[in-house]
Amino acid sequence: MRDYYAQYVTIGIFAIVAAVLVVGTLQLSRLLRPSHPTAEKLTTYESGIDPIGAGWAQTSVRYYVYALLFVIFDVEAVFLFPWATVFESLGTQAFVEMVIFVGILALALLYAIKKRLLEWL
Amino acid sequence: MNADVVREVFFWGVGAIMVIAALRVVTTQNVVHAALYLVGTLMGAAALYVLLLAEFVAWAQVLIYVGAVVVLMLFGLMLTRAPIGKANYDNSQRPLAAVVAAVLFGVMSWILIDAFSGTELELAGENAPRTQDIGAVIFSSYVWPFEIVSVLLLAALIGAVMIARRDEPEADKEVGS
Amino acid sequence: MPIAYFLVLSSLLFCIGVYGVLARQNAVLILLSIELMLNAVNINLLAFSAHLAEAGVPGQIFALFVIAVAAAEVGVGLAIVILIFRNRQNVDVDEMSLMKW
Amino acid sequence: MFELNLSDWQILLVKLGLVLAIVPAITLVAGYAEHKVMAHLQHRLGPMYPGGFHGWATLLADGLKFIYKEDIIPAAADRKVFSLAPLAIFVPTVLTVLVLPLDETLVVEELDLGLFYLLAVSSISTIGMLMAGWSSSNKYALIGALRAAAQLIAYELPIVLSAAVAAMLAGTLSLNGIVEAQEWPFVLWPPGIGLIAFLVFFGAGVAELTRPPFDMPVAESEIITGAFTEYSGMRFIFSTFFPEVANMVIISGVATTLFLGGYQPIVPLGFLDAVPGLVWFTLKTAFMVFMLLWIRPTFPRLREDQLQKFAWKFLIPTSLVLILAAGAWVLYAPEGLK
Amino acid sequence: MDVARTEENIRLPDEVAQEVAEGRLQTEQMVLNVGPQHPATHGVFRLLATIDGEVLVDAEPVIGYMHRGYEKLVEARDYRQITNLVSRMDWLSGINNEMPLALAVETLMELEVPPRAQYLRVVLLEMNRILNHLMFFASFAAELGAITPTFYAFREREDIQAAMEMATGGRMHFGYMRPGGLKEDVPKGFFDQALFGVRQVMDRIDDYYNLIIGNEIYKQRTIGVGVLDKELAYNYGVSGPIARGSNIDFDVRKDEPYLAYADFDFEVPVGLNGDCFDRFWVLLHEVYESARIVEQAIEGMPSGPILGKVPRVIQAPEGEVYVRCENPLGELGMYLVSDGDRRPYRLKIRTPSYNNVSVLPVVLRNTFVSDMIAILGSFFFVLGDIDR
Amino acid sequence: MPVTERVVGQQALDRVTAELGSLVGDARVNFDQIDVTCTPGNLVEVVAKLREAAGIEARFFTFLSAVDRTAFGGEERPDTERGTPLEVLVHLYSPDHATHINIHVPVDQADPRCPSITSVFGGALWAERECAEMFGIDFTDHPNLTNLYLPEDFEGNPLRKAFKLPTRMVKPWPGAKDPEEAAGGGRG
């Protein structure tokens, strides 16, 4: 019998240890490394010139479309995994259900391609 | 140590983190920070799901919410201007909103405590449902909602695209180039 | 563990979300607050699912559906926000008076 | 096997110790291998001096140098997010190691939904990239972060979907279960499906690692070091070097587990069973790592739009078809063939 | 070329441009400095790029970080000193830079250059051209993300470099040309080393083809990218491999043969469309042709003196002349005005990179950020050559 | 297309003078290249015609610069052969005919002005900027006549003969003390 909680305790502890490792190493190297900040050193790198404009971010609409498509297929994947474990015992019915599901999402991808949403940039 | 005590300590710890993060989501004056605090709340929720014996939902939460929805949010934020530093994102109804939220919380928690005080959760790790159980139930009893999810996602994509796409008349003509 | 713990926590998160929806004027932040509320709902669902373990896993399945719906909601919501931003160069809901009565 | 009576906490400590010793060691070995393999592919020697024998201690020396480096956070950066980003990249990397079965029993935690856990955890680092890029307040970093995030999500799908194929053929999400369910000749069976799924997984894996030819998020000739342009010293190690090399090994390990029969012997000859599974796993993983190292000096890099098109128009449709094909195979292939 | 130049490849930027113009795609634009300290700019070259997402809306090269004022400096130096000065303009093709100066003085003074000196000059010039082109072969591939060609190219360069060093004693700035001939004769073993070097290159050029030009990703990255129109090239005075990439058959060695170039059999490779692929293709073919010229020149090497009858003090008579040579990067011209002194009265140096790079703003408009790097790399420029 | 019909020397001069007629003043052959002189007012028309004219087709923009002849042959003998000692120099080349054409454009030394030829040859964009800062010549209707090399606050026009190299004024160039050579004085 598996020990459900013990497994997750291990994972949790590993997460904490990994985080502590990063923070700890950074603290440790603080003892060793020099620290002489100067204004020039702390300037944002922009090919050796003072940055033009700052403090804001902008991106292309295309990225949003990619992310949206990703969300949709990610949801699909979440349903795919429980299905993968049981479809053999459930037989044709479950298979057809998934075919329809995947088919509809494939339509989404097709639509995106057809609307040239993946054309860049 | 008693397992129940450990669970309670865990619950309080995670719960506190979630609440603090949630409060920061609604009060911080930096949009990207708000999205990142939301990640805190979401990860906390995933931890609670694990506690509630729903490991599949917990990892689905991580996969979809943290891995996808928040990324989508961040892209959206950067598309609509996401400065480093502060700006004012609150409106003038802040006090009123606080009152409404507090009253709502009072009423809800009073009702809930009243109705469910004394009900204990039996959290037996060895009974945690497995992925197969979830799959078996979805694909036998919840087929329609499942299929509708796919239609919903398709509709969401089409809707989003209709709204945000570049208005390109020639897009429909010929794609085969 | 008392189930009330989870219920109170979830209602607290829900109300924080309500506050966010009411007090924020940036549309994306409002969407974030809505996510908080949906998460609160999920905690509730899973708490009851654990409580009613003998009924099987429907609570978990509903939580999955809620997550899926939330994803779709964010997608469309953000698309609207982006459209508004492109037309007006800002995303303050208070200034969007076009559809006010 | 011999019996040891250890309490839970002692077991946990042993696991911690092993992972904390082995993961960095493997990373150093893989990093050194990268130096050397690439050098020889390019008709040069690579590092020869540190440590004496063929420069084996080069990476240790590098690491030491990085520890001594000044830690610079640009004045314009968002300090909080800037310092948290390496954590968001490093911690998930460590967590993915936990479910990899190196041998039948040699696994930190054998999760029931190990595969799903693995995919979910590894998706967190996308946010780390965006955090690093945005908080640096640097244009190159921002462009790099956006590229990285878009690339990671686009190629996560083929990975997830082709991994689902492996899960379908095995009928379980447990990684040990998937290994056990595979039979010789692992990836070649079922015909077509297994091999293509493996190639999709491996190709998308190269992209997930942001290595050439998919390295535009860190393309130094275009955007310096992408999201990590402003990172220095140990922060840089934790956010780029370590995750890149470790993930290279991890992806190879996962590919081995899902498609190459994991810790099973390469050929089903009885006497090979005597060789420990760990050896087989290591051999197979090393082979996969070598393939990854070989790709790097061979190809130029793609352009961002070509990369996205490759994922959305080729890899993802292919893996969708694969899923249906695998389903049909499992359900309808004659019993004798399976 | 077996890759179809699809509509898609060529149309896309225009389409984007139109959308940007109409404000449909407009997100906020940001101004990005590429250079002066950037890995892709070969020295201190700065590109002021206005980008929208990943599209370059506008690009303005900013030069002058290395301006040394050669045109003023030469007015205070005698011709022998200037030889060493101009050698440092395009530091990848030192001896080629010295050539037009010697030619200009020879033209004004009407000096006879002995045939052996002419042949030796050709050998050195063409070996230097191979050195230069291999360097750009390496750097262009590196900018596209392929790291291996760098090492291959440097391996080949080394053999030729050794021959150059035998003759001149230098590796970059040779200072070997003299008005009327060469500084001295080449040492024993030079011809063997030179032949070994160029034959090595000729043998391995197939490898380069397989590794780079035959690579599908490489084709995707370069075909149809950064198209330089033929008329545009003429208008901006673009010359060298870049002009030839744009389907312009323009090579001073053929059009106005100087030295002994008329004696040799070689081809002028010409591209089709003027995209990055064509420029690079031309570059690699020129390596081969130069290697052929070196072989022929060594085989037909006459004997005799290497310096003509030159007065002890070089004083060009009064007059002015424009003299040009085919430098590795294009037409290097010198307009020499002499008033009879030991120093030039005015020496206008027309460097190839200067004109080639001046067309960049037009070519770069409405490209992707990644393409910008490919285009910059395919414009084969040396900063010293632009800034002088 | 390589050189189709080689037109140099006298033949080229005939074609150029036939095409330009009175637009140019002095025209002659110099080392097989054509030297023509024209006024600033005619420059744009001259280059446009040379570019389009059949049989010449000087489409290739080689360079644009200037020469300051005020110290030609020593301070005492300024070369004013073409009217003023300061001239803009445009070199065009015909890729089809291998014809070189040097266009000398004398400009007023006190207030040097010259129309921009950027409307005909885009390559002049940088060349005119450089020429403007180095010689102080104002190219009217140039779209962006800012400094190309020099800092914005730089004073003087380095390539004018009046601009002495400061170091050379303090200490003459050692090259002048070449042992092989006794004659010749410092001028630069």
Side-chain angles (χ1 to χ4, degrees):
Chain A
M1 198 68 243
R2 70 193 174 126
D3 195 343
Y4 176 84
Y5 283 116
Q7 286 180 337
Y8 282 101
V9 167
T10 314
I11 289 171
I13 286 178
F14 264 97
I16 292 166
V17 169
V20 168
L21 190 76
V22 173
V23 177
T25 316
L26 280 173
Q27 292 302 320
L28 191 77
S29 77
R30 172 172 291 177
L31 300 176
L32 299 169
R33 70 187 179 221
S35 177
H36 308 291
T38 62
E40 286 77 29
K41 225 185 258 181
L42 298 180
T43 315
T44 305
Y45 168 81
E46 199 172 312
S47 301
I49 294 265
D50 285 343
I52 300 174
W56 54 287
Q58 69 106 37
T59 167
S60 158
V61 188
R62 301 297 193 278
Y63 284 123
Y64 177 76
V65 177
Y66 291 134
L68 184 57
L69 272 174
F70 172 65
V71 168
I72 286 166
F73 281 91
D74 225 22
V75 173
E76 178 203 335
V78 162
F79 285 103
L80 201 56
F81 281 96
W83 175 75
T85 57
V86 295
F87 78 106
E88 194 167 3
S89 50
L90 290 179
T92 305
Q93 184 218 341
F95 182 61
V96 171
E97 284 162 22
M98 189 46 83
V99 170
I100 296 171
F101 188 78
V102 171
I104 292 174
L105 290 184
L107 276 183
L109 186 57
L110 211 66
Y111 175 81
I113 292 174
K114 179 110 178 110
K115 284 282 174 195
R116 297 171 54 80
L117 291 176
L118 304 181
E119 298 304 327
W120 182 262
L121 254 172
Chain B
M1 243 194 305
N2 184 321
D4 254 345
V5 175
V6 174
R7 273 176 220 147
E8 252 182 63
V9 170
F10 179 76
F11 171 83
W12 287 113
V14 172
I17 292 171
M18 284 175 73
V19 170
I20 291 167
L23 282 172
R24 296 295 289 147
V25 171
V26 296
T27 52
T28 180
Q29 300 302 335
N30 182 319
V31 276
V32 173
H33 285 186
L36 295 177
Y37 279 120
L38 183 68
V39 173
T41 313
L42 297 171
M43 295 293 275
L48 286 191
Y49 298 169
V50 169
L51 183 66
L52 289 167
L53 303 178
E55 52 174 348
F56 186 80
V57 183
W59 294 117
Q61 164 107 349
V62 172
L63 190 69
I64 295 185
Y65 259 122
V66 181
V69 171
V70 172
V71 174
L72 185 70
M73 290 266 189
L74 286 172
F75 277 169
L77 284 174
M78 287 174 190
L79 208 56
T80 57
R81 194 181 288 151
I84 286 185
K86 290 188 160 99
N88 186 26
Y89 292 108
D90 288 342
N91 61 19
S92 49
Q93 330 167 4
R94 220 152 32 140
L96 185 66
V99 172
V100 169
V103 170
L104 189 63
F105 174 61
V107 173
M108 273 170 69
S109 48
W110 182 69
I111 294 174
L112 287 170
I113 292 171
D114 188 48
F116 292 99
S117 65
T119 313
E120 288 286 316
L121 278 179
E122 299 295 328
L123 296 175
E126 58 274 17
N127 295 337
R130 287 167 179 252
T131 317
Q132 292 93 299
D133 308 333
I134 295 175
V137 176
I138 294 182
F139 293 97
S140 51
S141 314
Y142 291 91
V143 176
W144 282 112
F146 165 71
E147 298 293 357
I148 287 170
V149 163
S150 70
V151 178
L152 173 80
L153 291 172
L154 177 63
L157 177 81
I158 295 176
V161 167
M162 294 300 269
I163 295 168
R165 76 168 179 161
R166 37 186 180 156
D167 325 299
E168 205 175 16
E170 73 271 34
D172 302 309
K173 277 190 303 193
E174 195 187 344
V175 193
S177 61
Chain C
M1 253 184 115
I3 191 170
Y5 282 10
F6 292 94
L7 302 184
V8 171
L9 176 68
S10 101
S11 59
L12 182 55
L13 288 175
F14 188 84
C15 293
I16 292 172
V18 169
Y19 168 81
V21 171
L22 293 177
R24 294 298 211 170
Q25 63 177 352
N26 181 304
V28 183
L29 291 177
I30 292 178
L31 281 176
L32 291 180
S33 307
I34 293 174
E35 293 307 307
L36 279 180
M37 294 158 72
L38 286 170
N39 254 275
V41 171
N42 266 357
I43 295 176
N44 250 359
L45 281 172
L46 290 174
F48 279 112
S49 173
H51 177 50
L52 307 169
E54 59 278 11
V57 291
Q60 299 197 7
I61 291 169
F62 265 97
L64 282 180
F65 285 138
V66 169
I67 291 176
V69 171
E73 173 254 337
V74 172
V76 178
L78 272 177
I80 296 172
V81 173
I82 289 167
L83 180 75
I84 291 169
F85 176 77
R86 277 214 236 145
N87 288 340
R88 304 161 169 242
Q89 296 295 307
N90 79 57
V91 286
D92 287 357
V93 274
D94 290 6
E95 290 175 23
M96 294 170 199
S97 52
L98 197 64
M99 287 181 52
K100 272 190 185 162
W101 56 86
Chain D
M1 295 293 274
F2 48 91
E3 283 293 313
L4 259 178
N5 278 322
L6 291 169
S7 76
D8 289 351
W9 284 107
Q10 279 164 322
I11 292 175
L12 185 59
L13 276 179
V14 170
K15 285 174 175 173
L16 263 176
L18 279 177
V19 170
L20 289 185
I22 290 174
V23 170
I26 297 270
T27 310
L28 283 180
V29 171
Y32 175 70
E34 170 149 35
H35 277 319
K36 280 311 220 187
V37 169
M38 220 162 75
H40 284 278
L41 287 171
Q42 292 169 340
H43 298 264
R44 59 193 174 92
L45 290 170
M48 287 302 282
Y49 295 106
F53 180 73
H54 283 263
W56 64 271
T58 310
L59 285 180
L60 288 179
D62 279 357
L64 214 62
K65 185 195 80 173
F66 273 106
I67 288 180
Y68 279 103
K69 280 242 170 197
E70 185 172 356
D71 180 52
I72 295 169
I73 301 180
D78 187 317
R79 289 188 74 94
K80 250 192 284 180
V81 180
F82 190 88
S83 345
L84 275 176
L87 275 182
I89 294 164
F90 180 82
V91 175
T93 307
V94 173
L95 290 188
T96 44
V97 182
L98 304 186
V99 290
L100 272 186
L102 309 185
D103 200 347
E104 222 162 322
T105 52
L106 202 59
V107 50
V108 178
E109 284 303 340
E110 187 190 336
L111 278 188
D112 184 39
L113 35 51
L115 179 57
F116 193 61
Y117 159 87
L118 194 97
L119 298 169
V121 167
S122 61
S123 74
I124 298 174
S125 52
T126 313
I127 291 188
M129 290 275 188
L130 280 172
M131 285 165 73
W134 174 81
S135 66
S136 300
S137 176
N138 176 315
K139 288 160 193 168
Y140 295 112
L142 183 72
I143 298 174
L146 291 171
R147 283 181 176 190
Q151 174 170 338
L152 288 183
I153 60 177
Y155 283 86
E156 193 175 320
L157 283 177
I159 287 207
V160 169
L161 296 177
S162 54
V165 170
M168 285 165 67
L169 295 173
T172 173
L173 295 185
S174 151
L175 289 172
N176 286 61
I178 290 174
V179 173
E180 292 298 331
Q182 288 177 67
E183 277 165 27
W184 199 84
F186 318 112
V187 71
L188 298 175
W189 207 254
I193 299 170
L195 187 62
I196 298 175
F198 169 69
L199 291 178
V200 168
F201 184 90
F202 188 65
V206 178
E208 283 286 283
L209 292 169
T210 63
R211 287 170 65 85
F214 304 105
D215 65 335
M216 8 352 220
V218 290
E220 78 283 352
S221 63
E222 296 172 19
I223 50 173
I224 328 298
T225 326
F228 306 104
T229 303
E230 295 288 359
Y231 281 75
S232 60
M234 285 312 279
R235 264 184 233 283
F236 184 78
I237 291 285
F238 282 126
S239 50
T240 60
F241 175 77
F242 180 85
E244 185 185 326
V245 180
N247 275 326
M248 194 166 77
V249 180
I250 291 168
I251 290 257
S252 303
V254 176
T256 304
T257 307
L258 292 183
F259 297 101
L260 299 180
Y263 47 76
Q264 296 188 42
I266 294 173
V267 280
L269 296 173
F271 66 91
L272 288 179
D273 290 345
V275 180
L278 180 62
V279 173
W280 294 121
F281 182 84
T282 312
L283 279 178
K284 291 172 182 176
T285 307
F287 173 73
M288 298 295 298
V289 171
F290 176 75
M291 298 301 285
L292 285 171
L293 296 183
W294 193 358
I295 288 174
R296 180 169 177 193
T298 312
F299 293 110
R301 83 172 64 87
L302 282 163
R303 203 170 59 206
E304 193 61 21
D305 59 327
Q306 293 162 346
L307 163 108
Q308 293 285 354
K309 271 188 210 161
F310 183 62
W312 293 102
K313 289 190 175 170
F314 179 70
L315 286 182
I316 293 173
T318 309
S319 34
L320 287 179
V321 171
L322 273 178
I323 284 178
L324 300 184
W329 171 270
V330 170
L331 285 177
Y332 306 119
E335 218 27 68
L337 268 178
K338 293 184 203 169
Chain E
M1 270 162 253
D2 51 339
V3 173
R5 267 132 226 266
T6 52
E7 276 286 279
E8 207 174 7
N9 275 342
I10 295 157
R11 194 187 57 233
L12 246 175
D14 303 338
E15 207 171 85
V16 173
Q18 195 193 349
E19 283 179 351
V20 171
E22 293 169 19
R24 279 182 293 171
L25 253 188
Q26 196 133 28
T27 44
E28 276 179 80
Q29 295 178 350
M30 77 185 172
V31 178
L32 181 71
N33 277 309
V34 182
Q37 287 296 327
H38 186 280
T41 52
H42 310 283
V44 282
F45 174 78
R46 176 178 168 213
L47 195 74
L48 206 60
T50 309
I51 58 174
D52 175 41
E54 289 251 351
V55 178
L56 222 64
V57 181
D58 199 12
E60 176 67 27
V62 179
I63 60 170
Y65 289 91
M66 274 196 66
H67 186 55
R68 290 150 292 174
Y70 273 8
E71 290 179 18
K72 187 73 178 176
L73 293 180
V74 296
E75 290 175 10
R77 281 158 178 75
D78 61 40
Y79 291 110
R80 186 199 47 183
Q81 292 168 320
I82 296 171
T83 306
N84 289 318
L85 201 57
V86 293
S87 182
R88 280 150 178 77
M89 288 191 309
D90 171 357
W91 49 70
L92 291 176
S93 27
I95 209 157
N96 278 279
N97 298 333
E98 301 163 14
M99 193 65 249
L101 180 75
L103 275 182
V105 177
E106 284 158 15
T107 314
L108 279 184
M109 293 177 74
E110 289 165 1
L111 289 177
E112 276 294 318
V113 180
R116 182 174 173 87
Q118 294 207 13
Y119 268 61
L120 263 179
R121 279 178 174 183
V122 168
V123 169
L124 292 169
L125 290 177
E126 294 306 316
M127 289 207 310
N128 198 195
R129 188 185 311 275
I130 296 174
L131 287 180
N132 173 297
H133 281 9
L134 283 178
M135 181 64 122
F136 280 103
F137 164 78
S139 77
F140 182 55
E143 264 142 37
L144 290 181
I147 36 184
T148 309
T150 312
F151 297 102
Y152 283 16
F154 271 78
R155 182 186 58 186
E156 262 64 273
R157 272 172 60 91
E158 202 50 45
D159 292 327
I160 297 178
Q161 212 42 286
M164 296 294 282
E165 208 175 338
M166 278 173 89
T168 67
R171 285 174 70 88
M172 282 182 100
H173 307 308
F174 305 103
Y176 199 58
M177 289 286 177
R178 293 287 180 271
L182 293 166
K183 184 172 156 246
E184 60 199 9
D185 208 341
V186 290
K188 236 166 102 178
F190 167 80
F191 293 121
D192 293 338
Q193 176 68 31
L195 274 180
F196 172 74
V198 296
R199 290 201 172 127
Q200 198 81 283
V201 171
M202 287 165 97
D203 284 351
R204 283 175 178 160
I205 247 170
D206 280 347
D207 286 353
Y208 299 165
Y209 259 75
N210 291 334
L211 187 65
I212 291 292
I213 293 211
N215 188 308
E216 186 57 35
I217 297 176
Y218 169 78
K219 288 180 185 165
Q220 293 275 339
R221 279 299 304 277
T222 52
I223 290 182
V225 170
V227 177
L228 173 64
D229 184 69
K230 196 171 171 174
E231 274 311 306
L232 199 64
Y234 279 134
N235 250 339
Y236 277 77
V238 175
S239 54
I242 302 170
R244 288 193 280 277
S246 295
N247 198 9
I248 296 175
D249 189 346
F250 172 43
D251 189 325
V252 182
R253 292 174 296 174
K254 279 272 191 214
D255 295 355
E256 280 184 348
Y258 52 100
L259 298 179
Y261 275 115
D263 300 354
F264 306 121
D265 168 40
F266 66 100
E267 311 247 314
V268 179
V270 172
L272 275 179
N273 302 285
D275 50 20
C276 293
F277 182 91
D278 283 344
R279 289 192 277 274
F280 193 67
W281 183 88
V282 166
L283 188 83
L284 213 48
H285 271 261
E286 281 185 12
V287 172
Y288 187 76
E289 295 300 331
S290 293
R292 275 180 60 200
I293 297 177
V294 174
E295 265 196 330
Q296 293 173 41
I298 292 179
E299 274 160 20
M301 182 65 63
S303 53
I306 46 97
L307 195 61
K309 290 198 169 55
V310 182
R312 278 171 67 85
V313 176
I314 303 229
Q315 261 172 314
E318 209 172 296
E320 49 194 85
V321 69
Y322 177 71
V323 168
R324 58 185 191 152
C325 286
E326 186 67 25
N327 232 33
L329 298 180
E331 175 179 332
L332 175 67
M334 292 196 184
Y335 192 88
L336 173 63
V337 181
S338 171
D339 61 353
D341 195 31
R342 298 173 303 132
R343 283 162 285 197
Y345 179 76
R346 161 113 175 87
L347 185 69
K348 160 70 192 170
I349 305 167
R350 184 253 189 232
T351 48
S353 300
Y354 181 81
N355 282 48
N356 294 355
V357 166
S358 71
V359 78
L360 268 179
V362 189
V363 179
L364 281 176
R365 208 163 291 150
N366 298 318
T367 52
F368 304 144
V369 171
S370 312
D371 286 348
M372 169 187 85
I373 302 301
I375 295 170
L376 279 182
S378 76
F379 261 76
F380 319 126
F381 58 85
V382 169
L383 243 292
D385 204 28
I386 302 175
D387 282 355
R388 305 191 303 283
Chain F
M1 214 164 36
V3 177
T4 45
E5 180 202 6
R6 197 169 295 275
V7 183
V8 290
Q10 192 58 40
Q11 190 190 4
L13 184 66
D14 293 345
R15 287 195 187 181
V16 169
T17 44
E19 182 62 36
L20 296 177
S22 62
L23 281 174
V24 291
D26 173 46
R28 62 179 149 183
V29 180
N30 176 28
F31 293 102
D32 271 356
Q33 302 178 354
I34 313 299
D35 268 16
V36 296
T37 308
C38 88
T39 60
N42 287 340
L43 178 62
V44 178
E45 204 181 333
V46 166
V47 290
K49 277 201 164 170
L50 286 175
R51 185 177 125 166
E52 302 301 335
I56 303 173
E57 284 139 352
R59 288 177 288 166
F60 186 82
F61 172 79
T62 318
F63 70 81
L64 178 148
S65 189
V67 184
D68 176 10
R69 296 179 194 271
T70 41
F72 195 83
E75 305 279 351
E76 66 285 356
R77 188 167 75 82
D79 180 7
T80 49
E81 192 187 340
R82 292 186 179 87
T84 84
L86 186 63
E87 65 177 45
V88 172
L89 177 62
V90 183
H91 187 106
L92 300 180
Y93 172 70
S94 163
D96 300 331
H97 307 293
T99 315
H100 291 266
I101 303 165
N102 295 304
I103 306 166
H104 301 263
V105 189
V107 291
D108 182 28
Q109 198 175 8
D111 179 25
R113 274 170 198 282
C114 181
S116 163
I117 60 164
T118 48
S119 54
V120 186
F121 286 106
L125 277 166
W126 279 16
E128 285 178 3
R129 281 169 68 184
E130 187 191 351
C131 195
E133 66 188 345
M134 294 299 175
F135 289 93
I137 299 170
D138 181 19
F139 288 90
T140 49
D141 56 74
H142 184 285
N144 173 29
L145 202 63
T146 49
N147 281 358
L148 185 68
Y149 288 124
L150 301 174
E152 280 304 321
D153 51 1
F154 189 89
E155 280 180 26
N157 305 109
L159 284 183
R160 289 276 197 107
K161 289 289 170 183
F163 187 98
K164 306 282 186 200
L165 285 174
T167 35
R168 293 290 84 80
M169 293 197 302
V170 178
K171 181 178 168 229
W173 184 252
K177 299 193 176 75
D178 197 319
E180 285 189 354
E181 133 72 8
R187 192 185 53 215

